[in-house]
Structures are given as structure tokens and as C-alpha cells.
Coordinates of all heavy atoms in Angstrom, one line a residue:
A1 N 34.1 8.3 -43.3 CA 33.0 9.1 -42.8 C 31.9 8.2 -42.4 O 31.2 8.6 -41.4 CB 32.6 10.0 -44.0
A2 N 31.6 7.2 -43.0 CA 30.6 6.3 -42.7 C 30.9 5.6 -41.3 O 30.0 5.4 -40.5 CB 30.3 5.2 -43.7
E3 N 32.2 5.3 -41.1 CA 32.6 4.7 -39.8 C 32.4 5.7 -38.7 O 32.0 5.3 -37.6 CB 34.0 4.3 -39.9 CG 34.2 3.1 -40.9 CD 35.7 2.8 -41.0 OE1 36.6 3.4 -40.4 OE2 36.0 1.8 -41.8
V4 N 32.7 6.9 -38.9 CA 32.5 8.0 -37.9 C 31.0 8.1 -37.6 O 30.6 8.2 -36.4 CB 33.2 9.3 -38.3 CG1 32.8 10.4 -37.4 CG2 34.6 9.2 -38.5
E5 N 30.2 8.1 -38.6 CA 28.8 8.3 -38.5 C 28.2 7.1 -37.7 O 27.4 7.2 -36.8 CB 28.1 8.4 -39.8 CG 26.6 8.8 -39.7 CD 26.0 9.0 -41.1 OE1 26.6 9.7 -41.9 OE2 24.9 8.5 -41.3
E6 N 28.7 5.9 -38.0 CA 28.3 4.7 -37.3 C 28.7 4.7 -35.8 O 28.0 4.4 -34.9 CB 28.9 3.4 -38.0 CG 28.5 2.1 -37.4 CD 27.0 1.7 -37.7 OE1 26.4 2.2 -38.7 OE2 26.5 1.0 -36.9
A7 N 29.9 5.2 -35.6 CA 30.4 5.3 -34.2 C 29.7 6.3 -33.5 O 29.3 6.1 -32.3 CB 31.9 5.6 -34.2
T8 N 29.3 7.4 -34.1 CA 28.6 8.5 -33.4 C 27.2 8.0 -33.1 O 26.7 8.2 -32.0 CB 28.5 9.7 -34.4 OG1 29.8 10.2 -34.7 CG2 27.7 10.9 -33.7
K9 N 26.6 7.2 -34.0 CA 25.3 6.7 -33.8 C 25.3 5.7 -32.6 O 24.4 5.7 -31.7 CB 24.8 5.9 -35.0 CG 23.3 5.5 -34.9 CD 22.9 4.9 -36.2 CE 21.4 4.4 -36.1 NZ 20.9 3.8 -37.3
K10 N 26.4 4.9 -32.5 CA 26.5 3.9 -31.4 C 26.7 4.7 -30.1 O 26.2 4.3 -29.0 CB 27.7 3.0 -31.6 CG 27.3 1.9 -32.7 CD 28.5 0.9 -32.8 CE 28.1 -0.1 -33.9 NZ 29.1 -1.1 -34.0
V11 N 27.5 5.8 -30.1 CA 27.7 6.6 -28.9 C 26.4 7.2 -28.4 O 26.0 7.2 -27.2 CB 28.8 7.7 -29.1 CG1 28.8 8.7 -28.0 CG2 30.1 7.0 -29.3
E12 N 25.6 7.7 -29.4 CA 24.3 8.3 -29.1 C 23.3 7.2 -28.5 O 22.6 7.5 -27.5 CB 23.7 8.9 -30.3 CG 24.3 10.2 -30.7 CD 23.8 10.8 -32.0 OE1 22.9 10.1 -32.7 OE2 24.3 11.8 -32.4
E13 N 23.3 6.0 -29.1 CA 22.5 5.0 -28.5 C 22.9 4.6 -27.1 O 22.1 4.4 -26.2 CB 22.6 3.7 -29.4 CG 21.8 3.9 -30.7 CD 22.0 2.7 -31.7 OE1 22.7 1.7 -31.3 OE2 21.4 2.7 -32.8
A14 N 24.3 4.5 -26.9 CA 24.8 4.1 -25.6 C 24.5 5.2 -24.6 O 24.1 4.9 -23.4 CB 26.3 3.9 -25.7
T15 N 24.5 6.5 -25.0 CA 24.2 7.6 -24.2 C 22.7 7.5 -23.8 O 22.4 7.8 -22.6 CB 24.5 8.9 -24.8 OG1 25.9 8.9 -25.2 CG2 24.3 10.1 -23.9
Q16 N 21.9 7.2 -24.8 CA 20.4 7.1 -24.5 C 20.2 6.0 -23.5 O 19.4 6.1 -22.6 CB 19.7 6.9 -25.9 CG 18.2 6.7 -25.7 CD 17.5 8.0 -25.2 OE1 18.0 9.1 -25.4 NE2 16.4 7.8 -24.4
K17 N 20.8 4.8 -23.7 CA 20.6 3.7 -22.8 C 21.1 4.0 -21.4 O 20.5 3.7 -20.4 CB 21.3 2.4 -23.4 CG 20.6 1.8 -24.6 CD 21.4 0.6 -25.0 CE 20.6 0.0 -26.2 NZ 21.3 -1.2 -26.7
L18 N 22.2 4.8 -21.4 CA 22.8 5.2 -20.1 C 21.8 6.1 -19.4 O 21.5 6.0 -18.2 CB 24.1 5.9 -20.3 CG 24.8 6.4 -19.0 CD1 25.0 5.3 -18.0 CD2 26.1 7.1 -19.3
A19 N 21.2 7.0 -20.1 CA 20.2 8.0 -19.5 C 19.0 7.2 -19.0 O 18.4 7.5 -17.9 CB 19.8 9.0 -20.6
E20 N 18.5 6.2 -19.8 CA 17.4 5.4 -19.4 C 17.7 4.6 -18.2 O 16.9 4.5 -17.2 CB 17.0 4.4 -20.5 CG 16.3 5.1 -21.7 CD 16.1 4.2 -22.9 OE1 16.4 3.0 -22.8 OE2 15.6 4.7 -23.9
A21 N 18.9 4.0 -18.1 CA 19.4 3.3 -17.0 C 19.4 4.2 -15.7 O 19.0 3.8 -14.6 CB 20.7 2.6 -17.2
E22 N 20.0 5.4 -15.9 CA 20.0 6.3 -14.8 C 18.6 6.7 -14.3 O 18.4 6.8 -13.1 CB 20.8 7.6 -15.2 CG 22.3 7.4 -15.3 CD 23.1 8.6 -15.7 OE1 22.4 9.6 -16.2 OE2 24.3 8.6 -15.6
S23 N 17.7 6.9 -15.3 CA 16.4 7.2 -14.9 C 15.7 6.1 -14.2 O 15.0 6.3 -13.1 CB 15.6 7.5 -16.2 OG 14.2 7.8 -15.9
A24 N 15.9 4.9 -14.7 CA 15.4 3.7 -14.0 C 16.0 3.5 -12.6 O 15.4 3.2 -11.6 CB 15.6 2.4 -14.8
G25 N 17.3 3.8 -12.5 CA 18.0 3.7 -11.2 C 17.5 4.8 -10.3 O 17.3 4.5 -9.1
N26 N 17.2 6.0 -10.8 CA 16.6 7.0 -9.9 C 15.3 6.6 -9.5 O 14.9 6.9 -8.3 CB 16.6 8.4 -10.7 CG 18.0 9.0 -10.9 OD1 18.9 8.7 -10.1 ND2 18.1 9.9 -11.8
S27 N 14.5 6.0 -10.4 CA 13.1 5.6 -10.0 C 13.2 4.5 -9.0 O 12.4 4.5 -8.0 CB 12.4 5.1 -11.3 OG 11.2 4.6 -10.9
L28 N 14.1 3.6 -9.1 CA 14.3 2.5 -8.1 C 14.8 3.1 -6.8 O 14.3 2.7 -5.7 CB 15.3 1.5 -8.6 CG 14.8 0.6 -9.7 CD1 15.9 -0.3 -10.2 CD2 13.6 -0.3 -9.3
A29 N 15.6 4.1 -6.8 CA 16.1 4.7 -5.6 C 14.9 5.4 -4.9 O 14.8 5.4 -3.7 CB 17.2 5.7 -5.9
L30 N 14.1 6.1 -5.7 CA 12.9 6.7 -5.1 C 12.0 5.7 -4.5 O 11.4 5.9 -3.4 CB 12.2 7.6 -6.2 CG 12.9 8.8 -6.6 CD1 12.1 9.5 -7.7 CD2 13.1 9.8 -5.4
D31 N 11.8 4.6 -5.2 CA 10.9 3.5 -4.7 C 11.5 2.9 -3.4 O 10.8 2.7 -2.5 CB 10.8 2.4 -5.7 CG 10.0 2.8 -7.0 OD1 9.3 3.8 -6.9 OD2 10.0 2.0 -8.0
L32 N 12.8 2.8 -3.4 CA 13.5 2.2 -2.2 C 13.3 3.2 -1.0 O 13.0 2.8 0.1 CB 15.0 2.0 -2.5 CG 15.8 1.6 -1.3 CD1 15.3 0.2 -0.7 CD2 17.3 1.5 -1.7
A33 N 13.5 4.5 -1.3 CA 13.3 5.5 -0.2 C 11.9 5.5 0.3 O 11.7 5.6 1.5 CB 13.7 6.9 -0.8
A34 N 10.9 5.4 -0.6 CA 9.5 5.4 -0.2 C 9.3 4.1 0.6 O 8.6 4.2 1.6 CB 8.6 5.4 -1.4
A35 N 9.8 3.0 0.2 CA 9.6 1.7 0.9 C 10.3 1.8 2.3 O 9.7 1.3 3.3 CB 10.2 0.6 0.1
Q36 N 11.4 2.4 2.4 CA 12.1 2.6 3.7 C 11.3 3.5 4.6 O 11.2 3.2 5.8 CB 13.5 3.1 3.5 CG 14.5 2.1 2.9 CD 15.8 2.7 2.6 OE1 16.0 3.8 2.3 NE2 16.9 1.8 2.6
A37 N 10.8 4.6 4.0 CA 9.9 5.5 4.8 C 8.7 4.8 5.3 O 8.3 4.9 6.5 CB 9.6 6.7 4.0
A38 N 8.1 4.0 4.5 CA 6.9 3.2 4.9 C 7.2 2.2 5.9 O 6.5 2.0 6.9 CB 6.2 2.6 3.6
S39 N 8.4 1.6 5.8 CA 8.8 0.6 6.7 C 9.0 1.2 8.1 O 8.6 0.7 9.1 CB 10.1 -0.1 6.3 OG 10.6 -1.0 7.2
K40 N 9.7 2.4 8.1 CA 9.9 3.1 9.4 C 8.5 3.5 10.0 O 8.4 3.4 11.2 CB 10.7 4.3 9.2 CG 12.2 4.0 8.9 CD 13.0 5.3 8.7 CE 14.5 5.0 8.4 NZ 15.2 6.2 8.2
E41 N 7.6 3.9 9.2 CA 6.3 4.3 9.7 C 5.6 3.1 10.3 O 5.0 3.2 11.4 CB 5.5 4.9 8.6 CG 4.1 5.4 9.0 CD 3.3 6.1 7.9 OE1 3.9 6.5 6.9 OE2 2.0 6.1 8.1
R42 N 5.6 2.0 9.6 CA 5.0 0.8 10.1 C 5.7 0.3 11.4 O 5.0 -0.1 12.3 CB 5.1 -0.4 9.1 CG 4.3 -0.2 7.8 CD 2.9 -0.8 7.9 NE 2.3 -0.8 6.6 CZ 1.4 0.1 6.2 NH1 1.2 1.1 6.9 NH2 0.8 0.0 5.0
A43 N 7.0 0.4 11.5 CA 7.7 0.1 12.7 C 7.3 1.0 13.9 O 7.1 0.5 15.0 CB 9.2 0.2 12.5
A44 N 7.1 2.3 13.6 CA 6.7 3.2 14.6 C 5.2 2.8 15.1 O 4.9 2.8 16.3 CB 6.7 4.6 14.1
Q45 N 4.4 2.5 14.1 CA 3.0 2.1 14.4 C 3.0 0.8 15.3 O 2.3 0.7 16.2 CB 2.2 1.9 13.2 CG 1.8 3.2 12.4 CD 1.1 2.9 11.1 OE1 1.1 1.8 10.6 NE2 0.6 4.0 10.5
H46 N 3.9 -0.1 14.9 CA 4.0 -1.4 15.6 C 4.4 -1.1 17.0 O 3.8 -1.7 18.0 CB 4.9 -2.3 14.9 CG 5.1 -3.7 15.5 ND1 6.1 -4.0 16.4 CD2 4.3 -4.8 15.3 CE1 5.9 -5.2 16.8 NE2 4.9 -5.7 16.2
D47 N 5.4 -0.3 17.2 CA 5.9 0.0 18.5 C 4.8 0.7 19.4 O 4.6 0.3 20.6 CB 7.1 0.9 18.5 CG 8.4 0.2 17.9 OD1 8.4 -1.0 17.9 OD2 9.3 1.0 17.6
E48 N 4.1 1.6 18.8 CA 3.0 2.2 19.5 C 1.9 1.2 19.9 O 1.4 1.3 21.0 CB 2.4 3.3 18.6 CG 1.4 4.2 19.3 CD 1.9 5.0 20.5 OE1 3.1 5.4 20.5 OE2 1.2 5.2 21.5
L49 N 1.5 0.3 18.9 CA 0.5 -0.7 19.2 C 1.0 -1.6 20.3 O 0.2 -2.1 21.2 CB 0.2 -1.5 18.0 CG -0.6 -0.7 16.9 CD1 -0.8 -1.5 15.6 CD2 -2.0 -0.3 17.5
E50 N 2.3 -2.0 20.3 CA 2.8 -2.8 21.4 C 2.7 -2.2 22.7 O 2.4 -2.8 23.7 CB 4.3 -3.3 21.1 CG 4.3 -4.4 20.1 CD 5.7 -5.1 20.0 OE1 6.7 -4.4 20.4 OE2 5.7 -6.2 19.6
K51 N 3.1 -0.9 22.8 CA 3.0 -0.1 24.0 C 1.5 -0.1 24.5 O 1.2 -0.2 25.7 CB 3.5 1.3 23.8 CG 5.0 1.4 23.7 CD 5.4 2.8 23.4 CE 6.9 2.9 23.1 NZ 7.3 4.3 22.7
T52 N 0.6 0.2 23.6 CA -0.8 0.2 23.9 C -1.3 -1.2 24.4 O -2.0 -1.3 25.4 CB -1.7 0.6 22.7 OG1 -1.3 1.9 22.3 CG2 -3.2 0.6 23.0
L53 N -0.9 -2.2 23.8 CA -1.2 -3.6 24.2 C -0.7 -3.9 25.6 O -1.4 -4.4 26.4 CB -0.7 -4.6 23.2 CG -0.9 -6.1 23.6 CD1 -2.4 -6.4 23.7 CD2 -0.3 -7.0 22.5
Q54 N 0.6 -3.5 25.8 CA 1.2 -3.7 27.2 C 0.4 -2.9 28.2 O 0.1 -3.4 29.3 CB 2.6 -3.3 27.2 CG 3.3 -3.6 28.5 CD 3.3 -5.1 28.8 OE1 3.7 -5.9 28.0 NE2 2.9 -5.4 30.0
Q55 N 0.0 -1.7 27.9 CA -0.8 -0.9 28.8 C -2.1 -1.5 29.1 O -2.5 -1.6 30.3 CB -1.0 0.6 28.3 CG -1.7 1.5 29.2 CD -1.0 1.7 30.6 OE1 0.2 2.0 30.6 NE2 -1.7 1.5 31.7
K56 N -2.8 -2.0 28.1 CA -4.1 -2.7 28.3 C -3.9 -3.9 29.1 O -4.7 -4.2 30.0 CB -4.7 -3.0 26.9 CG -5.1 -1.8 26.1 CD -6.2 -0.9 26.8 CE -6.5 0.3 25.9 NZ -7.4 1.2 26.6
T57 N -2.8 -4.7 28.8 CA -2.6 -5.9 29.6 C -2.3 -5.6 31.0 O -2.9 -6.3 31.9 CB -1.3 -6.6 29.0 OG1 -1.6 -6.9 27.6 CG2 -1.0 -7.9 29.7
D58 N -1.6 -4.5 31.3 CA -1.3 -4.1 32.7 C -2.6 -3.6 33.3 O -2.9 -4.0 34.5 CB -0.3 -2.9 32.7 CG 1.1 -3.4 32.3 OD1 1.3 -4.6 32.2 OD2 1.9 -2.5 32.0
D59 N -3.5 -2.9 32.6 CA -4.8 -2.5 33.1 C -5.6 -3.7 33.5 O -6.3 -3.7 34.6 CB -5.5 -1.6 32.1 CG -4.9 -0.2 31.9 OD1 -4.0 0.1 32.7 OD2 -5.2 0.4 30.9
V60 N -5.7 -4.7 32.7 CA -6.5 -5.9 32.9 C -5.9 -6.6 34.2 O -6.7 -7.0 35.0 CB -6.5 -6.8 31.7 CG1 -7.0 -8.2 32.1 CG2 -7.3 -6.2 30.6
E61 N -4.6 -6.7 34.3 CA -4.0 -7.4 35.4 C -4.3 -6.6 36.7 O -4.6 -7.2 37.7 CB -2.5 -7.5 35.2 CG -1.8 -8.3 36.3 CD -2.4 -9.7 36.6 OE1 -2.9 -10.3 35.7 OE2 -2.3 -10.1 37.8
N62 N -4.2 -5.3 36.6 CA -4.5 -4.5 37.8 C -6.0 -4.6 38.2 O -6.3 -4.7 39.4 CB -4.2 -3.0 37.6 CG -2.7 -2.8 37.5 OD1 -1.9 -3.5 38.1 ND2 -2.3 -1.7 36.8
F63 N -6.9 -4.6 37.2 CA -8.3 -4.8 37.5 C -8.6 -6.2 38.1 O -9.3 -6.3 39.1 CB -9.1 -4.6 36.2 CG -10.6 -4.7 36.3 CD1 -11.2 -3.6 37.0 CD2 -11.3 -5.7 35.9 CE1 -12.6 -3.7 37.2 CE2 -12.7 -5.8 36.0 CZ -13.3 -4.7 36.7
R64 N -7.9 -7.2 37.6 CA -8.1 -8.5 38.1 C -7.6 -8.6 39.6 O -8.3 -9.1 40.5 CB -7.3 -9.6 37.3 CG -7.6 -11.0 37.7 CD -6.5 -12.0 37.2 NE -5.3 -11.8 37.8 CZ -5.0 -12.1 39.1 NH1 -5.8 -12.7 39.9 NH2 -3.8 -11.9 39.6
A65 N -6.4 -8.0 39.8 CA -5.9 -8.0 41.2 C -6.8 -7.2 42.1 O -7.1 -7.6 43.3 CB -4.5 -7.4 41.2
Y66 N -7.4 -6.1 41.6 CA -8.3 -5.3 42.4 C -9.6 -6.1 42.7 O -10.1 -6.1 43.9 CB -8.7 -4.0 41.7 CG -9.8 -3.2 42.3 CD1 -9.5 -2.4 43.4 CD2 -11.1 -3.2 41.8 CE1 -10.5 -1.6 44.0 CE2 -12.1 -2.5 42.4 CZ -11.8 -1.7 43.5 OH -12.8 -0.9 44.1
N67 N -10.1 -6.9 41.7 CA -11.3 -7.7 41.9 C -11.0 -8.8 43.0 O -11.9 -9.1 43.8 CB -11.8 -8.3 40.6 CG -12.6 -7.3 39.8 OD1 -13.1 -6.3 40.3 ND2 -12.7 -7.6 38.5
V68 N -9.8 -9.4 42.9 CA -9.5 -10.4 43.8 C -9.4 -9.9 45.3 O -9.9 -10.4 46.2 CB -8.2 -11.1 43.5 CG1 -7.6 -12.0 44.6 CG2 -8.4 -11.9 42.2
A69 N -8.8 -8.7 45.4 CA -8.7 -8.0 46.7 C -10.1 -7.7 47.2 O -10.4 -7.9 48.4 CB -7.8 -6.8 46.6
C70 N -11.0 -7.2 46.4 CA -12.3 -6.8 46.8 C -13.1 -8.1 47.2 O -13.8 -8.1 48.2 CB -13.1 -6.1 45.7 SG -12.5 -4.4 45.4
F71 N -12.9 -9.2 46.5 CA -13.6 -10.4 46.8 C -13.1 -10.9 48.2 O -13.9 -11.4 49.0 CB -13.3 -11.5 45.7 CG -13.8 -12.8 46.1 CD1 -15.2 -13.1 45.9 CD2 -13.0 -13.9 46.5 CE1 -15.7 -14.3 46.3 CE2 -13.5 -15.1 46.8 CZ -14.9 -15.4 46.7
E72 N -11.8 -10.9 48.4 CA -11.2 -11.4 49.7 C -11.8 -10.5 50.8 O -12.1 -11.0 51.9 CB -9.7 -11.3 49.6 CG -9.1 -12.4 48.7 CD -9.4 -13.8 49.1 OE1 -9.6 -14.1 50.3 OE2 -9.6 -14.6 48.1
L73 N -11.8 -9.2 50.6 CA -12.3 -8.3 51.6 C -13.8 -8.5 51.9 O -14.2 -8.6 53.1 CB -12.1 -6.8 51.2 CG -12.5 -5.7 52.2 CD1 -11.7 -5.8 53.4 CD2 -12.4 -4.4 51.5
L74 N -14.5 -8.7 50.9 CA -16.0 -9.0 51.0 C -16.2 -10.3 51.8 O -17.0 -10.5 52.6 CB -16.6 -9.1 49.6 CG -18.1 -9.3 49.6 CD1 -18.9 -8.2 50.4 CD2 -18.6 -9.4 48.2
K75 N -15.3 -11.3 51.4 CA -15.4 -12.6 52.1 C -15.1 -12.5 53.6 O -15.8 -13.1 54.4 CB -14.4 -13.6 51.4 CG -14.6 -15.0 51.8 CD -13.9 -16.0 50.8 CE -12.4 -15.9 51.0 NZ -11.7 -16.9 50.2
E76 N -14.1 -11.7 53.9 CA -13.7 -11.5 55.3 C -14.8 -10.7 56.0 O -15.2 -11.1 57.1 CB -12.4 -10.7 55.4 CG -11.2 -11.4 55.0 CD -10.0 -10.5 54.9 OE1 -10.0 -9.4 55.4 OE2 -9.0 -11.0 54.3
K77 N -15.4 -9.7 55.4 CA -16.5 -9.0 56.1 C -17.7 -9.8 56.3 O -18.4 -9.7 57.3 CB -16.8 -7.7 55.3 CG -15.7 -6.6 55.4 CD -16.2 -5.3 54.8 CE -15.1 -4.3 55.0 NZ -15.5 -3.1 55.6
T78 N -18.0 -10.6 55.3 CA -19.2 -11.5 55.3 C -19.0 -12.5 56.4 O -19.9 -12.8 57.2 CB -19.4 -12.2 54.0 OG1 -19.6 -11.2 53.0 CG2 -20.7 -13.1 54.0
A79 N -17.8 -13.1 56.5 CA -17.5 -14.1 57.6 C -17.6 -13.4 58.9 O -18.0 -14.1 59.9 CB -16.1 -14.7 57.3
A80 N -17.1 -12.2 59.1 CA -17.1 -11.5 60.4 C -18.5 -11.1 60.8 O -18.8 -11.2 62.0 CB -16.2 -10.3 60.3
S81 N -19.4 -10.8 59.9 CA -20.7 -10.3 60.2 C -21.7 -11.5 60.4 O -22.7 -11.4 61.0 CB -21.2 -9.3 59.2 OG -21.4 -10.0 58.0
A82 N -21.4 -12.6 59.8 CA -22.4 -13.8 59.8 C -22.1 -14.5 61.2 O -21.0 -14.6 61.7 CB -22.1 -14.7 58.7
P83 N -23.2 -15.1 61.7 CA -23.0 -15.8 63.0 C -22.2 -17.1 62.6 O -22.3 -17.7 61.6 CB -24.4 -16.2 63.4 CG -25.3 -16.0 62.2 CD -24.6 -15.0 61.3
S84 N -21.3 -17.4 63.5 CA -20.4 -18.6 63.3 C -21.2 -19.8 63.4 O -22.2 -19.9 64.1 CB -19.3 -18.6 64.3 OG -19.7 -19.0 65.5
P85 N -20.9 -20.9 62.6 CA -21.6 -22.1 62.7 C -21.6 -22.7 64.1 O -22.5 -23.4 64.5 CB -20.9 -23.0 61.7 CG -20.1 -22.1 60.8 CD -19.9 -20.9 61.6
L86 N -20.5 -22.5 64.9 CA -20.4 -23.0 66.2 C -21.5 -22.3 67.1 O -22.1 -23.0 67.9 CB -19.0 -22.8 66.8 CG -17.9 -23.6 66.1 CD1 -16.6 -23.3 66.7 CD2 -18.2 -25.1 66.3
A87 N -21.6 -21.0 67.0 CA -22.6 -20.3 67.8 C -24.0 -20.8 67.4 O -24.8 -20.9 68.3 CB -22.4 -18.8 67.6
A88 N -24.3 -21.0 66.2 CA -25.6 -21.5 65.8 C -25.9 -22.9 66.3 O -27.0 -23.1 66.8 CB -25.7 -21.4 64.2
S89 N -24.9 -23.7 66.2 CA -25.1 -25.1 66.7 C -25.2 -25.1 68.2 O -25.9 -26.0 68.8 CB -24.0 -26.0 66.2 OG -22.8 -25.7 66.7
A90 N -24.5 -24.2 68.9 CA -24.6 -24.2 70.4 C -26.0 -23.7 70.8 O -26.5 -24.1 71.8 CB -23.5 -23.3 70.9
A91 N -26.6 -22.8 70.0 CA -27.9 -22.3 70.4 C -29.0 -23.3 70.1 O -29.9 -23.4 70.9 CB -28.1 -21.0 69.6
A92 N -28.9 -24.0 69.1 CA -29.9 -25.0 68.7 C -30.1 -26.1 69.8 O -31.1 -26.4 70.2 CB -29.7 -25.6 67.4
P93 N -29.0 -26.8 70.2 CA -29.1 -27.9 71.2 C -29.7 -27.4 72.5 O -30.3 -28.1 73.2 CB -27.7 -28.4 71.3 CG -27.0 -28.1 70.1 CD -27.7 -26.8 69.6
A94 N -29.4 -26.1 72.8 CA -29.9 -25.6 74.1 C -31.5 -25.6 74.1 O -32.1 -25.8 75.1 CB -29.4 -24.2 74.4
D95 N -32.1 -25.3 72.9 CA -33.5 -25.3 72.8 C -34.0 -26.7 72.8 O -35.1 -27.0 73.4 CB -34.0 -24.5 71.5 CG -33.7 -23.0 71.7 OD1 -33.5 -22.5 72.8 OD2 -33.6 -22.3 70.6
E96 N -33.4 -27.6 72.1 CA -33.9 -28.9 71.9 C -33.9 -29.7 73.2 O -34.9 -30.3 73.5 CB -33.0 -29.7 70.8 CG -33.4 -29.2 69.4 CD -32.6 -30.0 68.4 OE1 -32.0 -31.0 68.7 OE2 -32.5 -29.5 67.3
P97 N -32.9 -29.7 74.0 CA -32.9 -30.5 75.2 C -34.1 -30.1 76.1 O -34.7 -30.9 76.8 CB -31.6 -30.3 75.9 CG -30.7 -30.0 74.8 CD -31.5 -29.3 73.8
A98 N -34.3 -28.8 76.2 CA -35.4 -28.3 77.0 C -36.7 -28.8 76.5 O -37.6 -29.3 77.3 CB -35.4 -26.8 77.0
T99 N -36.9 -28.9 75.2 CA -38.1 -29.4 74.7 C -38.2 -30.9 74.9 O -39.3 -31.4 75.3 CB -38.2 -29.1 73.1 OG1 -38.0 -27.7 72.9 CG2 -39.5 -29.5 72.5
T100 N -37.1 -31.5 74.7 CA -37.1 -33.0 74.9 C -37.3 -33.3 76.4 O -38.0 -34.3 76.7 CB -35.7 -33.6 74.4 OG1 -35.0 -32.7 73.6 CG2 -36.0 -34.9 73.7
A101 N -36.7 -32.5 77.2 CA -36.8 -32.8 78.6 C -38.3 -32.7 79.1 O -38.8 -33.5 79.8 CB -35.9 -31.9 79.4
V102 N -38.9 -31.7 78.5 CA -40.4 -31.5 78.9 C -41.2 -32.6 78.3 O -42.0 -33.2 79.0 CB -40.9 -30.1 78.3 CG1 -42.4 -30.0 78.5 CG2 -40.1 -29.0 79.0
A103 N -40.9 -33.0 77.1 CA -41.6 -34.1 76.5 C -41.3 -35.4 77.2 O -42.2 -36.2 77.5 CB -41.3 -34.2 75.0
G104 N -40.0 -35.6 77.6 CA -39.7 -36.8 78.3 C -40.2 -36.9 79.7 O -40.5 -37.9 80.2
G105 N -40.3 -35.7 80.3 CA -40.7 -35.7 81.7 C -42.2 -35.8 81.8 O -42.8 -36.2 82.9
A106 N -43.0 -35.5 80.8 CA -44.4 -35.4 80.9 C -45.1 -36.7 80.8 O -44.9 -37.8 80.6 CB -45.0 -34.5 79.9

């Protein structure tokens, strides 16, 4: 009878330990599921941030290209509207020789 009681006590202890282990296993499984869900959420946020970063990078590159194009256009228009250096130098000597000729002839 004492042996049966001892065996029963050991079975109850083993059953209790098994229940605790199952509870701990369930808790770990829940922790793992929560960690996996958080990991998926972080991955989704990371993907979204990478898409946003790529869009901003593209926007900056487009803006830079637009600025370069505007600068080139402005440079062309300025060059077209400004008197050419050749025309300016051709006009200046025409005035000088006349002055020099008058001064030299007098």
C-alpha cells in the first residue's frame, strides 16, 4: 500500500510537472507567435520606408535634372539676348580710330 501511495504521488508530481511544462511551452509558443507577428510588422514598415526613400530619391533626382535643364535653358537665352563679344569689340574699334584719326590729324 505504501508503494502504491508512493507511486501515485510520483505520478501526480510528474503530471504536475508535465502540466507546468505544457504551460511554459504554450507561453513560449505565444511569445514566439507575438515575436513573429512583430517581425512581420517591422518588415512591412521597413518595406514601406524603403519605398518612401526610393520615391524621395527619385524626386530629388528629378528636381536636380529639372534644375540643370532650367540652368541650361537660362544660359542659352542669356547668351542669345546678350550682345556677342565680337560685336562689342567690332563696335569699339570703329569709334577709337575715328577719335585717333582726328587727334592724329589735328
Side-chain angles (χ1 to χ4, degrees):
E3 292 175 1
V4 171
E5 190 175 312
E6 183 70 25
T8 304
K9 187 175 181 181
K10 286 183 179 182
V11 168
E12 287 174 359
E13 287 175 1
T15 303
Q16 179 64 29
K17 287 181 180 180
L18 178 60
E20 290 172 2
E22 285 177 348
S23 176
N26 289 339
S27 178
L28 290 174
L30 290 175
D31 290 347
L32 176 61
Q36 288 173 332
S39 177
K40 286 180 184 178
E41 184 179 338
R42 294 269 193 264
Q45 289 173 346
H46 182 265
D47 290 345
E48 187 62 33
L49 289 172
E50 280 195 338
K51 287 177 188 175
T52 301
L53 176 61
Q54 185 60 51
Q55 181 61 50
K56 296 295 181 187
T57 301
D58 292 347
D59 290 348
V60 167
E61 183 57 30
N62 288 337
F63 184 69
R64 189 199 65 76
Y66 173 78
N67 280 341
V68 169
C70 287
F71 175 76
E72 293 298 327
L73 182 63
L74 183 60
K75 194 164 72 171
E76 289 171 15
K77 288 188 178 234
T78 303
S81 66
S84 73
L86 294 177
S89 64
D95 290 340
E96 285 182 15
T99 309
T100 344
V102 171

